[in-house]
Amino acid sequence: MTAAVISLLLSSTASTHQRADTRQRSGDAQSADSIDARAAALVDAMTLEEQISLLRSKSGASLLDLGIPLPPYIPEAMRAPKPAGAIGTAGFVPAIERVRFPALHLADAGLGVADIGFLRPGDQATALPSSLSLAATFDPAAAEAAGGIVGTEAFAKGINVQLAGGVNLAREPRNGRNFEYFGEDPLLAGLLVGEQIRGIQRNHVASTIKHFALNAQESGRFVHDARIGDAAIRESDLLAFEIGIKRGDPASVMCAYNKVNGAYACESQYLIAGVLKGDWGYRGWVMSDWGAVHSLEASVGAGLDQQSPQDKDYFAGIAAAVAQGTLPRARVRDMAYRIVRAMVAVGALDYRARPGGTIDRETHARRAQELAEAGMVLLKNDGLLPLTRSDRRIALIGRHADKGVLAGGGSSQVIPYGGLYRDAPGANPLSALLAPSYGLSSPLEALRKALPGAEIVFDDGSDPARAAALAKSVDVALVVAGKPEVEGVDHADLSLPYGQDALIAAVAGANPRTAVVLETGNPIVMPWLDKVGAVLEAWFPGQRGGEAIAAILSGASEPRGRLPISFPASTDQLPRKTVTGYDPAKQRPLGIGVTYEPFAIDYSEGSDVGYRWFEKAGAKPLFPFGHGLTYTSFGYSGLRFNAGEALTVRARITNTGRRPGTEVAQLYVAPPGRTHRLAGWAKVTLAPGESREISITADPWLLLSFDERARRWVRPAGAYRFFVGKSAGEPMLRGSAGMTAASQAKAR
Ligand code: BGC
């Protein structure tokens, strides 16, 4: 490691600019200075050995506890016996009792306190709607509330570090983990992930933000090299992290498996020492993803502070490296200090998480339902929804729609209160752990409750002809269609599996009064769209997803979500026709046991991700980013704006329909020569006939662009075209604002 790198790492530790943590947390009267002083005293009271003990986490659970023979490809880290003191989590660092520093119990994740099925046998938690669904609320307070539920439950289970905060931008709509992330826009994703993290951390539970950076697909995730320019990544993927870090002040950043521009993310001087700890002045600790470390020297040299469980234990060499003088003691202290300081800052030393705390399940379930309703997006409606009293005989058609709602799989899997149904009859326990799962919140039962006057007949949809015959005999047919997603598995295309496209076409062919409810973690294409009367995107809706679907369909709740991700008309419209390196034979959950030759992904779309790409390519998506209908209608008028240093836009929104509803008026701004970017939005709920003036100030950061040569953020003077609209594809009021020039060297 060079002296220059070490001095950069040490100086960024001491830097005082742009510290997000000068805010006080959760009502605690800890000032930033007292946090620093307390952490320093604690770290300096530790022996070198004790400091080093903080720098590696082990698995906090063991697959051995499943009591079944394990195939050879299961990593040693997961088959070692559970360490003493561990409570069944993805990671564990023993306590340092001598100085009263608590053990670290690191658990996934953002959709609830996760358990992939063997970690804490018998334990359950509130399953929240997916993060993509949360993003669809366009509501920072909803993300904070969701984080609050995760944090409360983690604390009550003795967990003090949540591996939450997944914010990889959805560059690739076939990526199997998009359901864990917040969509394709850096402002929306960054604000909401930051709020989710704040919600977690106010419970004295540390949170990560992850996976830093550009882990935008699962195929080849351990080896692929994401290629992108400096300005392009800073204006897109890194901007989401930057906003999230500023807003949420996460205790830790988890570096990703993949490479970025030739260097593994956990060894990237550019990403960690340069951007994160240097430019942004980040003061928390950087932990690796599970198995993402490839060398001690390169990773510690780049700024990695903690190695997560993995078979090749590079960090076991730290003591020897210090003894030989190749790793300075000061750097080890810095690594330990970052961990201790972050735990002090969230209050985890004063409020110690212990298993056995009480959880108000009923309140959390109700809140999970509200969040699911707020995130559902009505994509199409020819007046079929909401259902009315004259819809007396209803067919509910769909695989397992009698049992429950689909959930995403992998490390973020939550075993919901009430249990789940695994769609893998007869599978051995290990494969069953990763099979698609359905939380036991039955859309069928919920609809019967919501519509007591109607007769609701169920068909599992396995025989399209039978389902079509049923559809013919009813007033309205509802098809619940889903597409499972699991970490480690991408998709060849955007179509629905299990023959559901043919099923929907057959049902709609028999009865045009057909509504489709989608349970997906990604966009899908809809060859049957013209034939159906309505489409509701329900995502993976969580603990009370069935009830939430019933509430929207019956009109007890107004649809109010907006798409956080563009729905392409076909994969031909995407920057890449297929997922780079996609190999159908290698789509194994978690990617365990599959090997790929290294390959590069050229992110040539740069910062024009999602809707910006559609604008650049002049392509019309099936449904644009930001789209979402309501059961009423809204008019836009009276555009006014102020521009100069800042840009503030005002407009009058009127509910022109007959029902109450919520409009999300979105402001998109195009700096000279660039595509439009979401720069802010206003969410208003209006009664029929009611009208309100809204005001949206463009986030100043979205008016800037990164100048690679000057290494500065710049806002060239000129005309900034903008529109206020219902989505990225539906401008309602347009304008052009003259902005003055500005530039800024440092982070937000
Ligand atoms: C995932 C991380 C997760 C970790 C621990 C990894 O495979 O990529 O998101 O936090 O496992 O479960």
Side-chain angles (χ1 to χ4, degrees):
M1 195 181 316
T2 65
V5 171
I6 293 160
S7 85
L8 171 60
L9 287 167
L10 295 176
S11 70
S12 64
T13 309
S15 85
T16 49
H17 64 256
Q18 295 289 334
R19 292 200 326 219
D21 44 21
T22 43
R23 273 171 291 138
Q24 292 177 1
R25 289 172 199 260
S26 52
D28 287 327
Q30 297 193 99
S31 71
D33 287 345
S34 76
I35 292 170
D36 291 356
R38 191 172 163 197
L42 195 49
V43 170
D44 292 332
M46 291 177 186
T47 63
L48 175 64
E49 225 176 19
E50 286 167 342
Q51 290 177 0
I52 292 174
S53 74
L54 295 177
L55 311 182
R56 273 148 83 210
S57 64
K58 297 277 174 205
S59 176
S62 175
L63 265 176
L64 286 182
D65 295 346
L66 264 183
I68 56 161
L70 297 175
Y73 57 74
I74 297 292
E76 274 307 315
M78 289 168 78
R79 54 168 88 226
K82 185 156 103 179
I87 56 171
T89 58
F92 170 69
V93 177
I96 307 174
E97 300 293 357
R98 202 179 58 79
V99 293
R100 296 205 66 245
F101 189 75
L104 303 185
H105 301 281
L106 304 97
D108 292 285
L111 284 51
V113 180
D115 185 342
I116 201 162
F118 70 95
L119 299 175
R120 296 178 304 284
D123 191 31
Q124 300 181 333
T126 301
L128 294 168
S130 63
S131 292
L132 198 58
S133 162
L134 213 47
T137 66
F138 275 65
D139 183 358
E144 205 276 346
I149 292 174
V150 175
T152 310
E153 295 194 4
F155 189 83
K157 291 172 188 291
I159 291 158
N160 55 7
V161 184
Q162 276 296 118
L163 308 168
V167 72
N168 295 101
L169 284 195
R171 281 180 180 267
E172 176 46 76
R174 292 155 293 198
N175 172 14
R177 287 189 91 172
N178 282 341
F179 75 92
E180 292 186 56
Y181 308 143
F182 287 82
E184 69 191 25
D185 179 75
L187 179 64
L188 178 68
L191 288 181
L192 268 66
V193 81
E195 289 299 320
Q196 181 194 52
I197 291 164
R198 258 163 38 86
I200 292 172
Q201 294 197 157
R202 75 171 143 82
N203 291 285
H204 314 296
V205 173
S207 177
T208 59
I209 189 167
K210 69 185 187 184
H211 309 85
F212 191 68
L214 263 183
N215 187 174
Q217 65 172 54
E218 290 296 278
S219 297
R221 66 173 172 161
F222 303 121
V223 299
H224 70 236
D225 182 13
R227 302 262 172 88
I228 191 165
D230 186 20
I233 189 173
R234 288 190 196 244
E235 291 177 5
S236 56
D237 299 66
L238 293 186
L239 184 55
F241 275 96
E242 194 175 0
I243 295 172
I245 289 172
K246 174 89 190 299
R247 187 90 168 195
D249 193 10
S252 181
V253 171
M254 185 192 293
C255 52
Y257 286 124
N258 53 284
K259 292 180 176 175
V260 176
N261 293 328
Y264 282 111
C266 294
E267 297 181 357
S268 171
Q269 294 281 342
Y270 167 76
L271 284 178
I272 307 177
V275 174
L276 178 68
K277 291 184 175 179
D279 294 349
W280 300 349
Y282 179 67
R283 301 190 70 210
W285 88 92
V286 180
M287 73 167 75
S288 63
D289 200 342
W290 273 227
V293 178
H294 299 269
S295 123
L296 174 62
E297 205 198 14
S299 59
V300 172
L304 180 68
D305 301 304
Q306 187 184 56
Q307 176 190 271
S308 301
Q310 61 176 59
D311 285 357
K312 283 198 180 158
D313 191 352
Y314 294 101
F315 273 40
I318 288 183
V322 173
Q324 286 155 16
T326 52
L327 176 58
R329 259 192 91 135
R331 171 68 179 122
V332 171
R333 182 193 178 275
D334 167 50
M335 294 157 85
Y337 173 79
R338 285 171 172 277
I339 298 169
V340 171
R341 190 187 159 286
M343 295 305 285
V344 169
V346 297
L349 270 60
D350 300 324
Y351 302 86
R352 297 196 178 221
R354 288 202 176 79
T358 46
I359 291 172
D360 183 351
R361 290 190 206 181
E362 180 48 36
T363 304
H364 289 184
R366 255 204 326 268
R367 200 70 189 108
Q369 180 179 336
E370 284 163 19
L371 292 168
E373 288 170 15
M376 285 184 191
V377 184
L378 185 62
L379 294 173
K380 172 178 177 171
N381 190 15
D382 288 347
L384 182 55
L385 296 178
L387 300 170
T388 65
R389 262 166 224 238
S390 47
D391 298 316
R392 302 183 65 84
R393 215 172 114 77
I394 298 172
L396 179 67
I397 299 163
R399 190 183 165 84
H400 306 317
D402 55 336
K403 294 192 185 67
V405 287
L406 198 52
S411 57
S412 67
Q413 169 87 64
V414 177
I415 311 286
Y417 286 121
L420 46 73
Y421 168 78
R422 292 271 183 200
D423 194 2
N428 72 49
L430 193 61
S431 334
L433 290 184
L434 296 164
S437 70
Y438 292 76
L440 301 180
S441 165
S442 157
L444 176 62
E445 281 168 29
L447 266 175
R448 284 188 172 144
K449 242 188 231 155
L451 302 167
E455 181 198 353
I456 303 179
V457 189
F458 176 71
D459 185 290
D460 71 6
S462 55
D463 176 351
R466 187 188 64 212
L470 170 65
K472 219 179 200 127
S473 72
V474 295
D475 297 318
V476 57
L478 305 172
V479 184
V480 179
K483 183 167 185 173
E485 301 283 359
V486 58
E487 178 182 342
V489 176
D490 292 331
H491 298 285
D493 58 33
L494 297 175
S495 57
L496 285 170
Y498 313 128
Q500 293 172 109
D501 282 331
L503 170 71
I504 296 169
V507 169
N511 188 342
R513 301 196 77 234
T514 291
V516 177
V517 178
L518 295 168
E519 293 172 5
T520 73
N522 261 318
I524 55 148
V525 289
M526 306 179 197
W528 34 259
L529 185 61
D530 289 346
K531 299 199 181 87
V532 304
V535 183
L536 177 70
E537 176 56 83
W539 314 110
F540 298 152
Q543 189 71 44
R544 292 228 174 126
E547 286 83 349
I549 290 170
I552 299 282
L553 294 179
S554 66
S557 182
E558 304 296 322
R560 52 202 182 275
R562 300 294 186 275
L563 287 182
I565 186 168
S566 309
F567 274 46
S570 98
T571 48
D572 292 341
Q573 295 182 321
L574 298 173
R576 285 160 294 283
K577 303 295 166 252
T578 54
V579 173
T580 309
Y582 179 82
D583 179 345
K586 293 185 176 173
Q587 303 304 315
R588 189 179 297 163
L590 298 182
I592 297 181
V594 290
T595 48
Y596 277 87
E597 285 305 308
F599 61 92
I601 306 171
D602 187 8
Y603 286 114
S604 54
E605 72 275 28
S607 61
D608 284 317
V609 179
Y611 63 90
R612 302 186 196 178
W613 169 256
F614 281 89
E615 179 178 331
K616 197 170 184 176
K620 195 173 171 329
L622 188 63
F623 295 111
F625 174 90
H627 171 72
L629 304 173
T630 59
Y631 289 151
T632 185
S633 50
F634 293 96
Y636 286 59
S637 61
L639 178 70
R640 296 190 292 144
F641 66 91
N642 285 321
E645 275 303 301
L647 172 63
T648 299
V649 176
R650 291 189 175 75
R652 180 155 288 280
I653 311 289
T654 307
N655 182 340
T656 51
R658 282 200 294 257
R659 292 178 63 106
T662 300
E663 182 67 334
V664 181
Q666 301 153 43
L667 171 64
Y668 294 86
V669 183
R674 305 294 304 269
T675 52
H676 285 84
R677 311 156 172 188
L678 179 70
W681 65 89
K683 204 170 167 178
V684 270
T685 299
L686 299 173
E690 195 184 349
S691 158
R692 197 172 306 155
E693 179 164 84
I694 53 137
S695 161
I696 310 173
T697 297
D699 183 303
W701 214 253
L702 271 296
L703 302 175
L704 299 171
S705 301
F706 193 77
D707 179 337
E708 260 179 38
R709 260 180 308 162
R711 286 180 57 87
R712 290 175 78 81
W713 289 91
V714 294
R715 192 185 70 205
Y720 285 63
R721 288 171 303 126
F722 69 86
F723 66 83
V724 181
K726 298 170 86 62
S727 74
E730 203 176 339
M732 301 297 286
L733 304 166
R734 288 180 185 276
S736 177
M739 303 291 299
T740 54
S743 78
Q744 200 155 344
K746 278 291 175 196
R748 296 166 68 87

